[in-house]
Amino acid sequence: MSAEQELELSPERRTTNLATGVALVTFAGLLSVPGLEVAVHGPQRSVVALAILLAFVASERLVFHIESRNEAVSFSPADVPLALGLVLLSPVTLVAVRLVGGAAGLLIWRKQPLFKFVTNLTSFTVEVVVATLVFRLLLGVHPTPSLGMWLALVVAMLFALIAGGVLIASAIAFFEHDFNERVRREFTHSYLFYLPGALLGASAAVPLLVEPWMIAVGLVPAPVIWLVLRSHGSLMHRFSDLAHIHEFSSQVGRSAHLEDIVEIAVVEISDHLRASTVELVIWRRDGAKLAQAGIGESGIVEQLPLRRMDDTVPAGRPVPIRPGDEGPIAEHLRACGIDEAIVVAIRHDGCVVATLLVAHRVGASRAFSDDDCDRLVPISQQLAVALAKGQLHLEIQHQATHDALTGLPNRAYFEAYAGQCVREQDDLALLLLDLDRFKEVNDTLGHHVGDQLLVVAAERIAGCLAPGDTLARLGGDEFAVLSPGTELDEASLLAETISVALEEPFRLTDATVAIAASIGLVVAPGHGRDHESLLRRADLAMYEAKRMHSRCVAFVPELEGTDSMRLALLGELRDAIRGDRLSVHYQPKIGVTDGEVVGVEALVRWNCPGHGPVGPDVFVPMAEQAGLIGELTGHVLSKAIAEAAGWLANGWPIGLAVNISPQSLLDEDLPEEIAQHLAWNLYPPELLTLEITEDSVMSDAPRVWSILERLDQLGVRISVDDFGTGHSSLVNLRRMPVCEVKIDRGFVTDLLLEHDDEVIVRSTVDLAHNLGLTVVAEGVETEEILSALGEMGCDIAQGYGISRPLAPEHLLTWLRGRMGSRTERPEIVRDLTA
């Protein structure tokens, strides 16, 4: 055999070959030694040899082992027949008897694999040879019974046991590759049994040489000593088990992290039960795998039939699987090459939380015993408590980093993960999504429908993502997507895919709703090299998409300048409100049938000194976001009522309409504030119309309706602005104290071009009249549209075709040209305020 072939042999095969060689060399050395004087002659020698042989066979049945972690100490009463053989048999006969008796005992009682069988036989040979040589060296060829013989036997037996221990340690070192450490551990764990074994053998043999009947003197104490040693070993075993359980509890209790607990547990269980295969799988309550760790073969537990074993394994009791056992678990283990194992269903609060598999025992006994199962009982109990703690920690950690409604990562988790990705990834895309019209759904249909919508929306977004992408809910109706390794073009395509998915109607439990999403898009490193910058710029892009009514907007540097301008504008807006630097313009309304002026709508205007004219579509949302809308509304009401009262005093008794924001409509002090303005200016409440949106009526409906009722009792008129674009229902219109509805300009502008718009306008007019409401059409641009509205029965019109919004002084000029110098109120005004 070549050297290369030698290296390819398994450790078991090499151990067997080496042990066989050692045994042959040792025996050959023994043959060169002169024979010792034998105390028994003639036919009796065969009887003695047979008796000693049978004693060797029986001694293998009485072997007991003390195992602790990966160490095992064995004690055998074979020391007694060995000592007898030293003084009664020739060396060659003793070797033969020892080998035959030991081999028979190993085959009958212990059923060891070949490499262990050969190693033990070699150990027996070495022990006999060493004992013979030391005995001869000390006493010579013609020993006589004496105290010296007894001492020589003790020494010879002691050296024999040490030699056998070194041989076993050498064999094990073939597997562990550390001879010195292996020998040290062998003596550390076995030295307590060397001297008692030598004393037991010598004490049994020497009295026989004085008088045959005196063998009883030697053999009677032997069982007592053996029982004492065995009891001592059992106590050591129990103390070792208790120490291990204590250490196991300490080890698994040191960490609250489930992964650490699982990894520590499999290592400790493998050491304690001397098993080369240990697998522990933790289950969630829904049956999904939560964590897993293993030594040796893995994936076995996950494939087990009835893998959680709720119904097949008794609570808290390990179940041994032995060769020939029937059942799905035993059959599956045999298919995996496992004949003997222990399976444990670990329970906590009556539910299986983990499954433990222990297999491939490597101790002195290859089979798991009932004692092994008993050892696992307290270990399983301690492990159940530790796993419960680990799962609780995991749940707390999950709750701290995930959204309770959707189960997605929350803002804290997302920002930390995004920061890590920015540091580690060269390219990545970040998408920030905000659901449009979500507030309308929430306010109109209730929060439970809104919650359903968020859950389904999260599922749709997740369905658009690739493996490796991360979706998080940052709060409210705002989501974020992080896509590593994605460039701008790919991210834009992803944003488009998400938008299309979200625009499909949502069929929820109680309703079917339609929404959309505004998406802001940034990519790294082009748009930022840290997650804070990326999130801020994605937020700017998202709000730009919302402002432009676009599906997705990618960040451009100009948006950051716009944001800075907004901050500056916000400060100047606050000063303008409080410094009375805002103006109010007025757009006239006329009767559709007679063209009489029936009122004006007050529209706030702002000419910022540093930025020029700023449109209401810019500064009104800013005021709402900054909490200035109450001050802005109060300013407009004060200014407009004061000017309308002046017109009334000068002979122009026209109605006044003022827009009220949704936030202002939630203000409990609004009715009192309006009453004060009316009283201070002596302006009739029936001439004041408050225009509210459909959505504002639906938000916090009980509170809003209470305020509307107080305004109605005050005598002011309520108008629903932009009717047809929100979610008002016929029931709400009938129940609310509303006097008129305003048809949104989007339906009026293309009235003559779009048949659907004509149907909507006509239906709205009929609906409102049936409910006793006045109808106002805004966005009237031409005489043709005004004429069509007249044919449909619309009451009032306003728009650029009638007049643009005018400053107060220009309004008076327009009124004089339109109405002359009339000081009486037009008939239509009298009808509306009756």
Side-chain angles (χ1 to χ4, degrees):
M1 181 182 295
S2 66
E4 183 176 355
Q5 291 173 323
E6 179 79 21
L7 292 174
E8 293 177 355
L9 294 177
S10 66
E12 292 86 349
R13 181 70 179 275
R14 284 187 289 153
T15 301
T16 303
N17 292 344
L18 180 62
T20 303
V22 170
L24 292 175
V25 170
T26 304
F27 186 65
L30 180 66
L31 294 177
S32 64
V33 178
L36 299 176
E37 182 69 26
V38 180
V40 181
H41 303 277
Q44 294 181 351
R45 181 185 304 175
S46 300
V47 176
V48 170
L50 178 61
I52 292 176
L53 185 147
L54 293 176
F56 279 127
V57 174
S59 65
E60 295 302 324
R61 179 68 180 87
L62 299 175
V63 172
F64 67 87
H65 311 281
I66 300 175
E67 298 181 355
S68 175
R69 296 184 174 272
N70 283 333
E71 305 301 326
V73 178
S74 300
F75 181 78
S76 170
D79 300 332
V80 173
L82 176 60
L84 292 172
L86 283 174
V87 297
L88 297 177
L89 302 177
S90 67
V92 174
T93 302
L94 178 58
V95 170
V97 168
R98 182 70 181 101
L99 289 177
V100 173
L106 293 175
L107 292 173
I108 295 172
W109 310 120
R110 298 172 67 178
K111 298 182 176 62
Q112 293 180 329
L114 179 62
F115 79 97
K116 292 193 71 174
F117 178 77
V118 174
T119 302
N120 281 327
L121 292 182
T122 303
S123 175
F124 298 159
T125 303
V126 170
E127 288 176 359
V128 171
V129 171
V130 170
T132 301
L133 293 176
V134 173
F135 193 51
R136 177 190 179 282
L137 179 66
L138 293 177
L139 292 183
V141 181
H142 304 289
T144 57
S146 64
L147 178 62
M149 175 181 285
W150 181 82
L151 291 175
L153 270 176
V154 171
V155 174
M157 294 288 295
L158 190 60
F159 271 89
L161 293 174
I162 292 173
V166 171
L167 178 67
I168 296 298
S170 303
I172 298 175
F174 267 79
F175 295 88
E176 298 184 357
H177 308 290
D178 191 348
F179 176 79
N180 293 333
E181 175 63 17
R182 184 63 249 180
V183 171
R184 184 193 68 78
R185 288 158 63 184
E186 176 68 24
F187 279 98
T188 298
H189 291 83
S190 303
Y191 73 94
L192 289 176
F193 292 93
Y194 288 160
L195 185 58
L199 291 172
L200 179 63
S203 300
V206 171
L208 176 67
L209 299 178
V210 179
E211 289 291 340
W213 62 268
M214 291 186 67
I215 190 172
V217 176
L219 293 181
V220 168
V224 177
I225 297 174
W226 181 82
L227 289 173
V228 170
L229 290 175
R230 180 161 187 166
S231 299
H232 175 69
S234 298
L235 287 175
M236 288 181 61
H237 210 164
R238 291 180 184 177
F239 283 127
S240 175
D241 285 346
L242 290 174
H244 176 76
I245 292 171
H246 175 73
E247 184 175 353
F248 180 84
S249 301
S250 300
Q251 290 281 352
V252 297
R254 287 177 184 173
S255 176
H257 295 283
L258 197 61
E259 294 81 1
D260 295 340
I261 294 173
V262 173
E263 291 179 3
I264 292 171
V266 296
V267 172
E268 292 294 316
I269 292 172
S270 173
D271 286 349
H272 189 54
L273 267 73
R274 301 171 59 79
S276 62
T277 295
V278 177
E279 186 178 7
L280 179 63
V281 178
I282 313 303
W283 307 110
R284 289 195 323 205
R285 292 190 179 274
D286 60 2
K289 184 178 71 173
L290 188 61
Q292 175 182 0
I295 293 176
E297 299 184 30
S298 62
I300 300 173
V301 170
E302 291 184 85
Q303 302 170 12
L304 279 175
L306 308 172
R307 58 186 183 180
R308 292 185 62 174
M309 298 177 293
D310 293 283
D311 301 323
T312 58
V313 177
R317 182 65 193 175
V319 175
I321 305 297
R322 308 197 187 282
D325 284 356
E326 300 296 332
I329 296 177
E331 292 173 3
H332 174 75
L333 292 179
R334 276 196 293 273
C336 296
I338 298 175
D339 291 327
E340 294 205 39
I342 301 177
V343 180
V344 189
I346 299 174
R347 285 175 166 83
H348 188 266
D349 288 340
C351 179
V352 174
V353 297
T355 305
L356 173 66
L357 171 71
V358 184
H360 296 145
R361 198 175 195 279
V362 295
S365 172
R366 303 286 288 185
F368 290 105
S369 65
D370 292 338
D371 288 342
D372 293 322
C373 293
D374 293 338
R375 293 186 193 109
L376 276 178
V377 172
I379 290 176
S380 300
Q381 294 170 348
Q382 294 293 328
L383 185 57
V385 174
L387 291 177
K389 180 186 69 175
Q391 288 187 329
L392 178 61
H393 179 269
L394 191 64
E395 290 175 4
I396 294 173
Q397 189 178 43
H398 186 275
Q399 291 173 3
T401 57
H402 287 73
D403 172 50
L405 177 64
T406 62
L408 297 175
N410 60 15
R411 180 180 288 275
Y413 178 95
F414 184 80
E415 289 184 356
Y417 180 67
Q420 176 185 347
C421 288
V422 170
R423 291 189 297 271
E424 298 176 356
Q425 294 281 343
D426 293 332
D427 298 309
L428 62 84
L430 192 154
L431 286 70
L432 201 61
L433 300 85
D434 187 83
L435 302 183
D436 300 332
R437 300 191 296 276
F438 173 75
K439 186 176 184 300
E440 300 171 7
V441 175
N442 224 16
D443 294 341
T444 305
L445 301 176
H447 291 284
H448 68 288
V449 176
D451 289 346
Q452 291 181 43
L453 177 59
L454 288 173
V455 172
V456 179
E459 293 173 353
R460 287 195 186 179
I461 297 171
C464 300
L465 305 184
D469 293 348
T470 300
L471 171 64
R473 182 188 176 201
L474 303 188
D477 59 344
E478 192 173 58
F479 296 85
V481 173
L482 193 68
S483 181
T486 302
E487 297 181 351
L488 184 59
D489 292 343
E490 298 171 313
S492 298
L493 182 59
L494 174 60
E496 182 70 17
T497 303
I498 293 173
S499 295
V500 172
L502 292 176
E503 287 170 4
E504 287 291 322
F506 288 78
R507 292 174 175 82
L508 307 177
T509 303
D510 298 329
T512 298
V513 298
I515 62 169
S518 299
I519 303 177
L521 169 62
V522 293
V523 293
H527 293 152
R529 296 183 178 274
D530 59 85
H531 72 280
E532 293 94 346
S533 300
L534 291 173
L535 280 168
R536 178 170 54 82
R537 290 167 179 170
D539 191 61
L540 293 175
M542 184 266 289
Y543 276 107
E544 182 66 12
K546 193 174 288 290
R547 188 184 69 82
M548 295 175 60
H549 303 288
S550 175
R551 285 178 173 173
C552 177
V553 169
F555 172 80
V556 291
E558 291 77 11
L559 291 177
E560 207 152 33
T562 302
D563 189 53
S564 300
M565 184 186 74
R566 286 177 181 170
L567 290 175
L569 279 176
L570 183 59
E572 296 193 32
L573 176 61
R574 183 181 290 105
D575 294 339
I577 294 173
R578 296 171 183 175
D580 194 19
R581 292 196 294 270
L582 296 177
S583 61
V584 179
H585 288 199
Y586 302 92
Q587 187 173 35
K589 303 180 191 178
I590 65 170
V592 174
T593 56
D594 57 13
E596 293 286 348
V597 178
V598 297
V600 293
E601 179 181 0
L603 301 170
V604 64
R605 294 292 184 263
W606 180 29
N607 189 10
C608 180
H611 299 88
V614 182
D617 60 331
V618 174
F619 68 81
V620 171
M622 288 172 52
E624 290 177 336
Q625 295 174 5
L628 295 174
I629 193 63
E631 294 184 48
L632 179 59
T633 301
H635 178 78
V636 173
L637 280 169
S638 175
K639 204 173 191 69
I641 291 175
E643 288 180 336
W647 304 331
L648 180 61
N650 289 299
W652 300 100
I654 59 176
L656 172 67
V658 179
N659 288 285
I660 301 297
S661 73
Q663 292 186 25
S664 295
L665 198 57
L666 293 170
D667 185 1
E668 295 283 355
D669 297 329
L670 180 64
E672 284 74 17
E673 182 181 352
I674 292 175
Q676 288 177 359
H677 288 304
L678 294 173
W680 289 340
N681 294 281
L682 300 176
Y683 190 71
E686 64 269 16
L687 289 181
L688 177 62
T689 300
L690 301 179
E691 295 188 0
I692 63 175
T693 63
E694 294 181 74
D695 297 335
S696 64
V697 178
M698 295 301 111
S699 65
D700 197 3
R703 184 178 176 186
V704 171
W705 287 19
S706 173
I707 293 174
L708 290 178
E709 289 174 356
R710 291 164 58 193
L711 291 171
D712 182 58
Q713 293 170 4
L714 185 63
V716 301
R717 295 163 47 82
I718 305 298
S719 174
V720 178
D721 195 10
D722 299 332
F723 186 79
T725 61
H727 294 83
S728 290
S729 68
L730 297 178
V731 174
N732 289 333
L733 280 178
R734 182 173 58 84
R735 293 173 54 195
M736 288 189 302
V738 174
C739 298
E740 73 175 29
V741 295
K742 290 185 71 173
I743 303 175
D744 184 69
R745 70 179 66 250
F747 300 117
V748 177
T749 302
D750 295 329
L751 176 64
L752 301 179
L753 302 176
E754 297 289 341
H755 176 69
D756 290 345
D757 289 347
E758 178 186 353
V759 172
I760 291 173
V761 172
R762 189 182 299 276
S763 300
T764 302
V765 171
D766 293 340
L767 167 66
H769 285 168
N770 289 333
L771 294 175
L773 305 178
T774 301
V775 181
V776 180
E778 58 182 350
V780 178
E781 309 291 341
T782 64
E783 288 290 338
E784 290 79 7
I785 293 176
L786 184 62
S787 176
L789 289 171
E791 294 176 0
M792 295 179 187
C794 184
D795 301 307
I796 301 173
Q798 72 178 93
Y800 284 6
I802 299 168
S803 174
R804 290 177 174 273
L806 303 170
E809 60 274 16
H810 296 150
L811 175 65
L812 291 176
T813 301
W814 186 87
L815 288 173
R816 292 190 186 99
R818 184 88 180 189
M819 301 175 62
S821 58
R822 296 179 56 180
T823 58
E824 293 184 1
R825 288 182 293 172
E827 190 66 29
I828 189 169
V829 175
R830 291 197 294 270
D831 292 342
L832 294 177
T833 59

